[in-house]
Amino acid sequence: MTYSSEARDSYQRELSRMHEGGLFKEERYIHSPQGVEVDVEFPSGSPPKPVINFCANNYLGLSSHPDVVEAARKGLDERGYGMSSVRFICGTQDIHRELENKLTKFLETEDTILFPSCMDANAGFFEAVLTKDDVMIADRLVHASLIDGMRLCSAQRDSYKHSDMKHLESKLEQYKDARFRMVITDGVFSMDGDIAKLDEICELADKYDAMVMVDDSHATGFMGKHGKGTHEHCGVLGRIDAITTTLGKALGGASGGCVSGRKELVEMCRQRARPYLFSNTMPPVIVSAANAVIDLISRTTERRDKLEANTKYFRENMTAAGFDIREGVHPIVPIMLYNAKLAQDMARDLFDEGIYVIGFFFPVVPKGQARIRVQLSAAHEKEHLDKAIAAFTKIGRKYDILGKGKKEIIDMYGL
Amino acid sequence: MAMKDVIVDYVKDEYLEEGDETEIDENTPLISGGIVDSFSMVSLKMFLERKYKISIPDEKATTEAFDTVASIMKLVKEYAPDAE
Ligand SMILES: Cc1ncc(COP(=O)(O)O)c(C=O)c1O
């Protein structure tokens, strides 16, 4: 009970350093359901302002979709609010197992286990299936939750340069005497929206007898022709040994995650993964809605098709307007600005124009690679996209960066 | 080859992308400078252990100790006093 003045001062100093370094994160209060049009209170205390949302992971526009909300309500009516238990004591309802089976079928894997979140799935997975005789070889840009998960595991760890297959091969060669090798990557990398070379990774894994583990949080539901994810996009369905993904993004956006893959790996998680064993089960409301989401996206590819069309339209028109964007096919569209202050200033001006986007800079992305990250949704209509393109063009002109590439922008604004 | 050059070469090879011309000398901040991240640091530690036939305890392999080639050399020499 001694919160000494020394402790208080020390934390206050550290917090001020974050402020000064521009690293202090502030929440913005949304006064409406999540969606394409939201009312945002920013700065704190100002009246809520209607803006078009381009920074949610609401890829399929299902976060507040009437069918999903209805299914949640049904779950509440039929299965109640909470379970007050972990899964293996008395926290598993029929609908939990139903959701696991649906995910297995949708992802074309052998079995699935739900976790409270994908962060938890990543935290629990490695420790449950690997030992000190094994080695984890991860892409250098994997998500923080994978890094934390690997840190909790006694297996050796190493990393390869981002998407560099030669480097990965040299690491696989280096560890050929370990008991098991596991290659670990994001399916889609969330800062650049670039896609892991899963086809080449699977080839190397076959050659060097390694397992492949993919976090597909930014792909499940819309990448690939049927939206199954990066493994479908890359033509390696059935060849990924373990997929972790989230229900907190495209699949309704509430919360929850899973490990889906080889049935023994999933069973090991059921026996050993600590966030599964020691944290409460997913609430029935969310499970019920998630079941409806999987039904919906299994029935029709309409929403992922619209997202794909929106992505193509936005990318083409932003490029034509003269922005330097990272090429790709993913609804994460990085508008490269290189300079951190420029990214922040432009994001603020765009907010004034009614476009809600966020600037990212070091340490979230490498030094000198500041950008505004736009995220598209199937819920965006052409008018929304056109408004955003017009606002970007207006602000881009104000800062005189249209038609300019990396070198010219850096010459004007510095790094 | 002198230890400094061995380490600089390894860092360039292992951590810089192809075509990245960043100059690295004894005092370039590696971790705080965003060239090596604390997670990927393990391969550098393992390389040093193999190369100089030493074992660096995990509690000594801090991000401060690994932040520059100069501080890395100091650490290695604690365990391999004869290494040049
Ligand atoms: C690649 C990746 N993995 C895992 C997560 C965490 O997912 P969840 O919100 O379900 O914990 C995220 C979300 O930020 C992510 O982007």
Side-chain angles (χ1 to χ4, degrees):
Chain A
M1 233 301 301
T2 313
Y3 190 57
S4 67
S5 58
E6 210 172 297
R8 191 185 295 277
D9 290 348
S10 156
Y11 291 124
Q12 285 183 348
R13 271 196 308 276
E14 192 164 340
L15 289 164
S16 339
R17 268 200 300 277
M18 292 179 198
H19 262 299
E20 284 152 21
L23 299 174
F24 196 82
K25 290 176 260 322
E26 265 165 286
E27 294 170 348
R28 305 174 185 201
Y29 307 127
I30 297 181
H31 292 240
S32 56
Q34 182 63 285
V36 161
E37 293 172 6
V38 288
D39 299 327
V40 181
E41 172 190 335
F42 184 75
S44 176
S46 42
K49 177 181 162 68
V51 291
I52 308 175
N53 196 351
F54 282 94
C55 52
N57 301 307
N58 184 14
Y59 296 115
L60 293 174
L62 293 174
S63 301
S64 307
H65 189 279
D67 293 357
V68 178
V69 173
E70 187 47 41
R73 199 167 279 131
K74 186 160 163 274
L76 185 62
D77 289 341
E78 294 179 0
R79 293 290 184 284
Y81 172 65
M83 288 299 291
S84 306
S85 170
V86 297
R87 281 290 296 276
F88 76 95
I89 295 181
C90 56
T92 303
Q93 291 170 321
D94 54 345
I95 56 172
H96 288 82
R97 190 55 192 156
E98 182 188 338
L99 178 55
E100 289 175 341
N101 287 335
K102 280 192 173 143
L103 283 163
T104 302
K105 183 151 176 254
F106 182 73
L107 298 172
E108 299 195 26
T109 53
E110 295 173 9
D111 199 2
T112 300
I113 174 175
L114 296 173
F115 279 81
S117 69
C118 187
M119 171 105 196
D120 282 329
N122 288 338
F125 174 70
F126 301 106
E127 192 191 21
V129 304
L130 298 176
T131 71
K132 64 174 179 24
D133 301 324
D134 307 321
V135 57
M136 306 173 283
I137 308 173
D139 187 288
R140 284 213 178 127
L141 293 190
V142 294
H143 190 257
S145 56
L146 285 170
I147 297 200
D148 288 358
M150 288 187 267
R151 286 191 199 279
L152 292 171
C153 173
S154 62
Q156 260 197 75
R157 46 188 151 83
D158 204 338
S159 58
Y160 60 96
K161 291 184 210 181
H162 177 52
S163 282
D164 183 333
M165 294 299 113
K166 276 214 321 253
H167 201 214
L168 170 60
E169 180 159 17
S170 74
K171 298 284 176 170
L172 285 164
E173 174 71 36
Q174 184 183 334
Y175 295 104
K176 62 181 188 303
D177 298 327
R179 185 185 69 145
F180 298 143
R181 286 149 294 283
M182 186 179 282
V183 181
I184 296 155
T185 182
D186 289 9
V188 170
F189 294 86
S190 56
M191 282 303 140
D192 286 328
D194 62 324
I195 297 163
K197 300 170 183 161
L198 290 188
D199 46 346
E200 292 178 52
I201 290 175
C202 285
E203 288 305 312
L204 285 175
D206 285 349
K207 183 169 167 195
Y208 289 92
D209 185 18
M211 291 185 265
V212 179
M213 186 278 185
V214 178
D215 177 337
D216 226 13
S217 291
H218 286 277
T220 305
F222 58 94
M223 291 303 287
K225 274 226 151 3
H226 302 89
K228 292 173 189 292
T230 314
H231 57 326
E232 184 184 24
H233 179 88
C234 294
V236 292
L237 280 170
R239 291 176 69 190
I240 306 299
D241 302 294
I243 296 169
T244 58
T245 191
T246 183
L247 302 170
K249 301 190 195 297
L251 305 182
S255 71
C258 69
V259 174
S260 191
R262 305 295 174 201
K263 63 178 191 291
E264 296 78 13
L265 297 179
V266 169
E267 199 52 47
M268 288 299 280
C269 288
R270 244 181 252 286
Q271 304 308 317
R272 282 213 189 131
R274 297 171 69 85
Y276 171 86
L277 295 172
F278 300 120
S279 185
N280 204 31
T281 187
M282 276 178 69
V285 178
I286 294 178
V287 175
S288 177
N291 272 318
V293 167
I294 306 294
D295 288 345
L296 193 149
I297 61 175
S298 304
R299 202 164 53 234
T300 161
T301 59
E302 213 175 290
R303 301 190 82 82
R304 58 97 32 221
D305 297 344
K306 183 165 170 214
L307 176 62
E308 188 172 64
N310 280 352
T311 301
K312 192 159 176 281
Y313 182 82
F314 186 80
R315 283 179 171 274
E316 279 173 8
N317 282 283
M318 286 290 283
T319 306
F323 284 97
D324 179 10
I325 66 178
R326 282 272 155 94
E327 270 179 49
V329 295
H330 194 273
I332 290 173
V333 187
I335 318 292
M336 299 308 296
L337 300 165
Y338 307 100
N339 175 283
K341 182 159 186 312
L342 178 62
Q344 278 170 292
D345 289 348
M346 281 187 60
R348 197 198 48 232
D349 287 0
L350 283 157
F351 186 80
D352 291 342
E353 297 289 324
I355 305 297
Y356 189 9
V357 289
I358 300 280
F360 289 87
F361 40 91
F362 185 79
V364 181
V365 296
K367 275 208 171 124
Q369 290 193 31
R371 80 266 318 262
I372 286 176
R373 182 178 74 170
V374 172
Q375 288 176 286
L376 299 165
S377 167
H380 286 128
E381 299 301 338
K382 191 165 165 295
E383 304 88 81
H384 297 124
L385 302 178
D386 286 339
K387 269 192 194 155
I389 295 159
F392 263 104
T393 307
K394 177 175 166 192
I395 302 303
R397 202 169 284 137
K398 171 175 166 189
Y399 290 91
D400 193 24
I401 55 156
L402 295 182
K404 299 210 161 72
K406 176 174 179 175
K407 198 181 161 305
E408 294 156 287
I409 297 177
I410 293 173
D411 283 348
M412 285 168 71
Y413 289 94
L415 266 183
Chain B
M1 196 160 48
M3 188 187 295
K4 170 176 165 274
D5 300 320
V6 170
I7 299 176
V8 167
D9 283 0
Y10 182 81
V11 167
K12 284 189 175 169
D13 215 41
E14 176 72 13
Y15 298 106
L16 295 187
E17 299 292 330
E18 223 145 292
D20 186 339
E21 301 292 331
T22 305
E23 268 311 309
I24 291 178
D25 64 26
E26 273 173 84
N27 299 313
T28 309
L30 300 176
I31 293 173
S32 56
I35 294 170
V36 181
D37 65 78
S38 59
F39 184 76
S40 307
M41 204 181 91
V42 279
S43 64
L44 175 54
K45 175 174 179 280
M46 283 184 345
F47 168 76
L48 297 169
E49 292 181 328
R50 254 181 296 141
K51 174 84 190 172
Y52 295 104
K53 302 190 174 54
I54 56 175
S55 169
I56 303 172
D58 284 344
E59 65 273 16
K60 291 277 185 179
T62 59
T63 49
E64 291 78 36
F66 273 72
D67 204 34
T68 64
V69 172
S71 62
I72 294 168
M73 286 168 61
K74 195 161 147 260
L75 181 67
V76 170
K77 283 179 181 163
E78 273 181 44
Y79 297 90
D82 300 334
E84 288 296 313

